[in-house]
Amino acid sequence: MTIRSVSFFIFLILTVGGVIFLSALRPVAWPYLAEAKKIDIQSGMGLREISAGLKASGLIHSRLAFNMIAVATGNASKLKPGKYTLSSGNSSWTILNYLVLGADPEVEIKIPDGASVYQIDGILSEADVLSPGQLIAYTKSSKSKLEGHLFPDTYRFFTSSTAEEVIAKFLENFDQKAKPLFGNTTGVLEKELTLASLVEKEVPVFSDRQIVAGVFEKRLRENMPLQVDASVCYVKQVRAGK
């Protein structure tokens, strides 16, 4: 084999290898077929672990190609932990840049006492945690009763979270801080939550709430109508969808 033949053969191998390598860095999906994927990079995860997660989530074609460009660009140790929303329509180069820049920002949200699911939906959508109406739609489709369990407190959420992630954080907080107060008696929890919500809406002064709660409980025992404005307002809010 002549020197020219060897040179051509090496050139051919390098060309084909380069094409294969660049092809491995292309987006997994065409833009109109792309999907948003959630990926959580934990503190302490290395490049190999991260690329394995990206591959498993359908965000990159090749772990090897991703690892190679991360090392070649000097970014292998610069990938930041956090929760990301990435598109399968992004190339490996773009995904690498996102991981170097950092995760979706985290925002602090205060849920006030007595806030309905409609008000909470508005608070979360205004902070870009969820899209408008996303929390309402989730609570309506859920088999579990969620309203009353969205414990008022200060939370930290990532922007562009899913409804499942938001609800999970609410319920975890409720189980830790509120549920132990109701004991284990069947049916007590939902009854007391409903009554507490009505009292909170009806009576603004905390010192008066205990008295009013006692009046409501007496009416319930005697099968009398509660005649509470808050219940009527809530029905109107549900019908209006806000």
Side-chain angles (χ1 to χ4, degrees), residues 166-209:
V166 169
I167 290 295
K169 189 167 284 191
F170 273 122
L171 295 182
E172 181 183 6
N173 200 29
F174 179 87
D175 287 346
Q176 290 178 355
K177 297 182 179 179
K179 200 170 183 179
L181 302 175
F182 295 96
N184 297 316
T185 308
T186 305
V188 168
L189 177 60
E190 295 304 328
K191 175 185 172 184
E192 294 296 332
L193 277 177
T194 303
L195 186 60
S197 298
L198 291 173
V199 170
E200 192 169 45
K201 288 286 187 184
E202 192 76 6
V203 186
V205 182
F206 181 80
S207 57
D208 295 337
R209 287 176 180 170

Side-chain angles (χ1 to χ4, degrees), residues 52-75:
L54 293 171
K55 174 68 175 175
S57 298
L59 287 165
I60 59 173
H61 283 288
S62 167
R63 289 180 59 194
L64 176 61
F66 184 86
N67 292 347
M68 286 177 68
I69 62 169
V71 173
T73 56
N75 289 318

Side-chain angles (χ1 to χ4, degrees), residues 11 14-15 45 49 67 69 73-74 95 100 113 115 121 126 130-131 136 145 149 162 191 198 213 232:
F11 172 77
L14 291 175
T15 301
M45 287 177 67
E49 245 184 311
N67 292 347
I69 62 169
T73 56
I95 289 173
V100 171
D113 293 342
D121 181 273
E126 188 175 342
L130 295 176
S131 301
I136 297 168
K145 181 176 173 57
H149 296 255
T162 64
K191 175 185 172 184
L198 291 173
V232 177

